[in-house]
Amino acid sequence: MLQSDQTPYSKTLEEFLEKIRTWFKDDYRGFKTMYCAAVKNVVPYPEDTPAEVRCDWKDQDIDFLCRFFTDWYNWKPGVNNGLDYIEKFSWLNYENDYGMVFVTCGPGYDMTADFTNLQGMQMDEQGPQAKELINKWIDELGPKRMDDYEIEDWKTFNEFFIRKVKKPKRPVDAPHDDSVVVAPADCVINMIVDQLTETTPIPVKTVTMNVAQLLGNSSYAERFIGGTAVSCILMPDSYHRYHAPVTGEAVEACEDIHGVYYGMRDFPELLDKGDVGYGYDYEMFDHFRRGYVIFRTEYLDRFGHRDGEGYVGMVPVGLNSIASVNFLPQFKNLDEPVKVKKGDEIGNFTYGGSLNILLFEHGRFPALQLHQGQRIGVLEDPERTAGLFTRSYHRPSRQRRPLTP
């Protein structure tokens, strides 16, 4: 597999470290220049940042960078601390223009792509270490949560990470009412944007989104002008397969729109003290690795009769760490429409951060609407809340800034 500059990906951690040391020594494509500018202009993290996610990048040298990647590679993530190293790395580009350029452009981007590929290979390895990590997660999840899943002889951690849920555990609501939209995944829903535009990011309650860019300039983008976008964020320990939100046909799909692996200017803001994703600047996700599926569906009138057809978009986004977006074979290269029922599996995310963004046409999805008795959340174990949701030390800046200067 090749990187953007056509150099091979590293096969081992040692090869990766030797590569970036050489890049630094030779200032390959400005690697040393950009890294030194990034660490020189580091913005201090909030004073009450918890010790476990602190990392002071100020004026750190190449030895520090190599030690950090070594520690990260050898670290075994748990259920409640899976975001820790991502957050430690994020302080390099926290509100830092130079840091943003370093991790999203040129050799700095290639470095993150290379390390991400190494982590993906690591999560696909078989052997005792994989079994140890799987058993660690099973123990931390506990029997109550594991009861949701089919138990298999998982050979790799990624096989476990995309474990299948027992069918009775996720009944699809209103299977015979095509007007009902269902959640595409186990997720946190905390953002709705309306008045979407095709090419110009327009702020709505501090949120922006470029529909044409998000959909890789698909001709279907114009269908969602003036419409609504809903974010569905998956927690690291959640079920990581995603499903069709509506019944109809998949008429267009793209599994891999290339983009960055890291580069959230303010990663803790996304976590937002438990309101994950609320008020976040989603324009930046136009730049992350992602795919999309366009569904054609039927609209119903008040009598339940067909009232024309329309479109719903689903954009799986691979965020920090492994950054994978994997479609089932029938959705990878659509030569003709593929029939789907809501709840049908579309694909999965292997280990890393991920979300789905749903797109609706104007006037078709005005609000989240729940029936009495439906699930709206869970009374959490405080340990999970502390590990995945709460970041009380951070006060969101709510500043809308571009991904790169």
Side-chain angles (χ1 to χ4, degrees):
M1 188 176 292
L2 302 178
Q3 293 179 259
S4 61
D5 66 351
Q6 298 303 299
T7 60
Y9 276 126
S10 302
K11 296 180 180 179
T12 65
L13 176 66
E14 292 70 26
E15 184 181 341
F16 168 76
L17 297 176
E18 180 61 28
K19 177 188 292 185
I20 63 174
R21 284 187 183 278
T22 301
W23 287 0
F24 187 86
K25 177 177 177 292
D26 298 340
D27 199 18
Y28 170 69
R29 295 166 58 207
F31 181 84
K32 177 179 179 179
T33 299
M34 288 190 285
Y35 174 70
C36 290
V39 296
K40 179 180 179 180
N41 291 277
V42 162
V43 175
Y45 44 70
E47 291 183 1
D48 51 353
T49 298
E52 61 268 20
V53 294
R54 291 187 177 194
C55 185
D56 184 5
W57 289 93
K58 185 68 173 178
D59 295 326
Q60 297 289 1
D61 59 15
I62 186 63
D63 290 336
F64 182 90
L65 181 65
C66 289
R67 286 196 302 272
F68 182 85
F69 279 125
T70 300
D71 291 344
W72 193 353
Y73 184 83
N74 292 322
W75 174 69
K76 303 301 181 187
V79 167
N80 297 316
N81 67 350
L83 302 175
D84 284 4
Y85 262 87
I86 294 172
E87 190 157 352
K88 288 180 179 182
F89 188 63
S90 76
W91 299 124
L92 176 60
N93 55 271
Y94 170 63
E95 301 289 3
N96 177 2
D97 290 344
Y98 294 93
M100 291 295 293
V101 169
F102 177 65
V103 299
T104 62
C105 301
Y109 165 81
D110 290 339
M111 175 192 72
T112 63
D114 201 348
F115 186 70
T116 296
N117 186 66
L118 272 179
Q119 288 183 304
M121 292 168 56
Q122 186 183 37
M123 294 301 181
D124 282 332
E125 289 177 352
Q126 300 185 24
Q129 290 187 337
K131 290 289 188 181
E132 180 182 347
L133 186 56
I134 290 170
N135 290 334
K136 174 182 178 180
W137 274 59
I138 290 174
D139 181 64
E140 291 185 13
L141 286 168
K144 177 177 178 292
R145 295 188 65 194
M146 283 302 301
D147 186 54
D148 280 2
Y149 302 102
E150 296 180 5
I151 303 302
E152 302 177 37
D153 182 20
W154 299 291
K155 303 297 184 183
T156 72
F157 182 76
N158 268 336
E159 287 182 2
F160 166 77
F161 192 72
I162 60 170
R163 56 199 177 275
K164 297 178 182 178
V165 76
K166 295 176 182 176
K167 289 184 179 180
K169 294 291 185 177
R170 300 294 185 274
V172 176
D173 192 34
H176 303 298
D177 184 349
D178 291 351
S179 66
V180 174
V181 179
V182 299
D186 285 9
C187 56
V188 175
I189 297 179
N190 247 335
M191 184 276 289
I192 294 184
V193 184
D194 51 17
Q195 299 179 354
L196 295 172
T197 61
E198 182 178 11
T199 58
T200 306
I202 298 295
V204 181
K205 298 179 182 177
T206 78
V207 182
T208 58
M209 189 172 292
N210 181 318
V211 180
Q213 188 166 317
L214 193 67
L215 293 176
N217 294 312
S218 165
S219 61
Y220 286 96
E222 63 183 24
R223 297 278 183 174
F224 306 108
I225 296 175
T228 307
V230 177
S231 81
C232 307
I233 300 176
L234 286 72
M235 292 290 98
D237 59 344
S238 297
Y239 171 62
H240 265 73
R241 296 174 186 254
Y242 45 89
H243 300 252
V246 293
T247 293
E249 296 177 320
V251 295
E252 185 174 285
C254 179
E255 184 183 35
D256 188 10
I257 301 176
H258 291 285
V260 301
Y261 296 81
Y262 291 87
M264 295 188 191
R265 182 181 293 275
D266 191 347
F267 176 72
E269 183 177 346
L270 175 67
L271 304 180
D272 190 12
K273 295 185 286 187
D275 292 328
V276 181
Y278 181 77
Y280 198 73
D281 186 349
Y282 277 75
E283 178 190 358
M284 61 166 296
F285 295 134
D286 300 348
H287 303 273
F288 271 81
R289 293 176 66 86
R290 62 198 182 280
Y292 71 84
V293 183
I294 305 296
F295 300 100
R296 181 166 55 215
T297 189
E298 291 189 350
Y299 293 137
L300 304 178
D301 64 17
R302 66 183 187 278
F303 300 106
H305 300 147
R306 186 178 186 275
D307 186 24
E309 64 181 23
Y311 296 85
V312 172
M314 182 170 73
V315 184
V317 182
L319 300 179
N320 297 330
S321 201
I322 310 307
S324 64
V325 174
N326 306 307
F327 285 1
L328 295 183
Q330 61 267 37
F331 300 108
K332 289 190 175 186
N333 296 296
L334 287 180
D335 296 323
E336 57 185 30
V338 174
K339 292 185 179 298
V340 296
K341 293 182 179 180
K342 59 186 172 184
D344 283 354
E345 184 179 342
I346 303 298
N348 63 68
F349 299 106
T350 48
Y351 183 74
S354 46
L355 78 152
N356 276 288
I357 298 174
L358 300 182
L359 303 174
F360 300 94
E361 294 178 294
H362 175 68
R364 291 295 184 175
F365 197 88
L368 295 175
Q369 302 176 64
L370 300 175
H371 276 171
Q372 181 274 327
Q374 290 184 306
R375 170 179 170 145
I376 61 172
V378 175
L379 299 175
E380 288 287 3
D381 181 332
E383 184 178 359
R384 182 172 188 258
T385 298
L388 297 180
F389 293 93
T390 300
R391 287 295 186 271
S392 58
Y393 62 91
H394 181 75
R395 294 183 180 179
S397 64
R398 296 292 182 263
Q399 295 177 8
R400 293 187 301 276
R401 299 185 181 181
L403 184 64
T404 56

